[in-house]
Amino acid sequence: MAVVASAPGKVLITGGYLILERPNAGLVLSTNARFYAIVKPLHNEIRPDSWAWAWTDVKLTSPQLGREGIYKVALKNLTIQSVSSSSEGRNPFVEYAVQYSVAAAYATSDKNKKELLHKLLLQGLDITILGCNDFYSYRNEIERRGLPLTPESLASIPPFASITFNTDNQERKDYKDLDLLHKIAQTAHCIAQGKVGSGFDVSSAVYGSQRYVRFSPEVISSAQVAAQVLPIPEVITDILNGNWDHDRTEFSLPPLMTLLLGEPGTGGSSTPSMVGAVKKWQKSDPQKSLDTWKRLSVANSALEIQLSLLSKLAKEHWDAYKSVIDSCRKLRSDKWIEQASEPNKEAVVKGLLGAKEAMLGIRYHMRLMGEAAGVPIEPESQTKLLDATLNLEGVLLAGVPGAGGFDAVFAVTLGDSSSNVVETWSSLNVLALLVKEDPCGVKLESADPRTNEITSAVSSIHIE
């Protein structure tokens, strides 16, 4: 029987660049587009020679990319060797994920569980990785079919379609298990990429939508050094017991709001090179960069405050909140103030307008930073698109997610007004994706997403 786990995609709506440094926070929304890992035994029985040599086979398959890798893992020191691979090179992200996951499983198991784990691992691991179509670009395929750039056209492509380069939530594991998973994932990811990033993407994949402040880089940088000279089993305990000082609090959009993502199709952007340019600017002009970061931080905090206020108003004054949203979804923002007919409704309208004003401030300072650093954080083409989007009825927010660039845009709409954005984006050659906000993080699935075949009931397995 297979074990199927999934983790969500994400959209960083505030905190671009600033999130790299403590104590700056970022607001990240997880989405309903998910990546899946399907794990099952590679062999029906334990191979006789496996006991003698204490090694196991790992087969990794990515059907969408047409890639397969075969590895051998020594279960004593967890060294990993690539036996054959159809890809152009080794994948350190996968290799370190396997090594550190197995190491953590051994380190957190008692003697009896270690013996059971050892027997299971000797059967080998058959791992299949799948991503929802929204993680990839299918613009060329849609255009090849002569279809319009609409979500309906994107939905016509079969799920988990191969890539050409031209459900009900299950009960969550307790936070002790998620914290363990988070530490393993952050460590494997940072060591694989050779540097310690902010970690917001890994954190959102584990926990879902949240307000995030990064951990101190030292918690992993010491492990990076140790892993070069020591076997992973000797490093993993220090990692799990390290001072993980990140700050994470639950956060999601207020009720009756919809997140939209769009693919402009105007070229891609390299986040590492853009971050490098911004850091270079910080060193060359520390006073101006510090002033810009302070102003951007204030704008980020203002948006967080307004969205939190709107969530509070929805909880305490639902009728007034819903009435305002139902009215404003049909109107441009310059008409929203007319809906403030009594104090509670006025508070909701002011919260909406405050959020919109804060987002405009974020975009302004992000553009200034991009101009000073010489990188297109909000390129002119994106500015025109976002301004047109904000002019539509029922649109609260619009911006470029994360580090910015040409890759994507996002919008947050009120009620069912998202259809206005989809139609406008399509007319401007922007493909609206199918993703929506889904605050759920990593979870165990009850079925293979390709077949809905029921998998083993492993949700009761608890790592002590």
Side-chain angles (χ1 to χ4, degrees), residues 173-182 206 461-464:
K173 303 279 283 179
D174 69 28
Y175 278 116
K176 179 182 177 182
D177 291 345
L178 293 180
D179 291 345
L180 173 64
L181 178 59
H182 175 250
V206 174
I461 293 178
H462 188 86
I463 302 174
E464 299 296 342

Side-chain angles (χ1 to χ4, degrees), residues 3 27 57 99 151 198 223 275 287 292 314-315 321 334 370 412 419:
V3 174
L27 299 181
D57 299 322
Q99 287 178 296
S198 70
V275 170
Q287 189 57 48
T292 301
K315 185 177 181 179
Y321 177 87
D334 57 352
V412 174
S419 58

